[in-house]
Amino acid sequence: MIRFQKIGSIFKANIDERLLYSILSNLLLNALKYSNNETAIYLILKSEAALITFQVIDQGIGIPLAEQHKIYEPFYRCQNVENIAGTGLGLAVVKKCVELHQGEIIVESKVGTGTTFTIMIPQENT
């Protein structure tokens, strides 16, 4: 189950919709893939005049700390994914899409507890 939460009052953002689709679809699909069916997955949107922040939070298998610096490399898959299908391209795509927006991606994860990806995309004042 995916739950949505919106924080803030800015409703207009300068984000390429195709890049946004790639970011959110990859992060949400990973959260679903690496989580138990009974746990919730959260998508949080925080909108401010100068910054749009997305968070995808799951309670899945988590990413080992020793491997977190490698997860954006194309074709890299963590050792704890066992027999879960995947190519190792999703997070590389997410990172590139975030960079094209001059944004930043942060991962916080603990094995057995879950993962939070935070995407911050700066906004021009218009």
Side-chain angles (χ1 to χ4, degrees):
M1 171 189 314
I2 299 175
R3 299 179 185 201
F4 300 92
Q5 179 181 1
K6 182 192 173 295
I7 302 169
S9 60
I10 305 298
F11 295 100
K12 187 176 182 180
N14 296 317
I15 301 174
D16 182 286
E17 66 185 61
R18 291 168 295 178
L19 296 179
L20 178 61
Y21 176 83
S22 291
I23 292 167
L24 293 180
S25 64
N26 277 298
L27 290 178
L28 289 170
L29 287 172
N30 278 355
L32 289 167
K33 185 181 345 182
Y34 297 111
S35 295
N36 186 316
N37 289 338
E38 288 81 39
T39 62
I41 294 165
Y42 297 90
L43 171 60
I44 299 172
L45 166 61
K46 183 177 180 185
S47 55
E48 300 171 331
L51 187 68
I52 302 295
T53 304
F54 299 95
Q55 283 188 307
V56 175
I57 303 169
D58 69 47
Q59 299 167 18
I61 64 173
I63 302 167
L65 182 61
E67 296 183 73
Q68 289 180 18
H69 69 283
K70 301 177 188 178
I71 61 174
Y72 305 110
E73 295 175 13
F75 304 108
Y76 184 80
R77 301 199 68 222
C78 292
Q79 299 299 311
N80 66 333
V81 299
E82 298 173 359
N83 61 353
I84 301 171
T87 62
L89 287 174
L91 291 177
V93 169
V94 169
K95 176 93 168 151
K96 186 62 176 174
C97 291
V98 171
E99 289 172 349
L100 288 170
H101 277 104
Q102 287 81 46
E104 182 179 357
I105 183 169
I106 297 170
V107 62
E108 298 173 56
S109 189
K110 184 176 178 186
V111 172
T113 302
T115 302
T116 299
F117 280 97
T118 303
I119 309 294
M120 295 169 287
I121 299 176
Q123 297 293 291
E124 294 180 14
N125 294 330
T126 54

